[in-house]
Amino acid sequence: MPLVVYSVLRLLLFGVALGALWLVGLRGWLLVLVAAAVALMLSYLTLRGPRDAASRYLAARAEHRARTKERFSRAVEDDAAAEDAAVDAADGTDAPPAR
């Protein structure tokens, strides 16, 4: 969830920069480029806490994946195993022989 919070805050900063620059009179594609640059700088200066939380979240996920050797969440792994079992069971009865 920290990753979503950080992303939403960055989008809000971009929107604020876009609006402020539009009110100043900047228009066209330059408006978007300058707003993106301003939002990048503002997010670097003001969003240190959310950025650090998102970084810790991603590091913890990577560590968990490395430790458990799981590529996906437990629910996804269980669903894939159930699907594989169903396919294997169907292969023995209804499927034509593979050539």
Side-chain angles (χ1 to χ4, degrees):
M1 206 53 151
L3 196 59
V4 173
V5 170
Y6 179 62
S7 297
V8 168
L9 289 173
R10 286 198 62 185
L11 285 172
L12 285 173
L13 278 176
F14 177 71
V16 167
L18 195 71
L21 291 169
W22 186 80
L23 288 174
V24 169
L26 198 58
R27 300 287 192 270
W29 59 269
L30 190 59
L31 168 66
V32 176
L33 291 177
V34 174
V38 168
L40 176 71
M41 289 184 271
L42 286 175
S43 70
Y44 183 76
L45 294 173
T46 61
L47 299 179
R48 182 180 187 144
R51 183 177 56 245
D52 289 345
S55 176
R56 284 190 303 271
Y57 173 75
L58 290 174
R61 279 185 48 190
E63 180 184 331
H64 174 73
R65 271 197 219 126
R67 189 176 61 247
T68 62
K69 305 289 190 235
E70 289 180 351
R71 290 182 53 203
F72 302 104
S73 69
R74 172 58 67 195
V76 172
E77 294 281 343
D78 290 344
D79 286 346
E83 183 179 322
D84 290 344
V87 168
D88 290 343
D91 283 345
T93 57
D94 298 331
R99 294 178 192 220

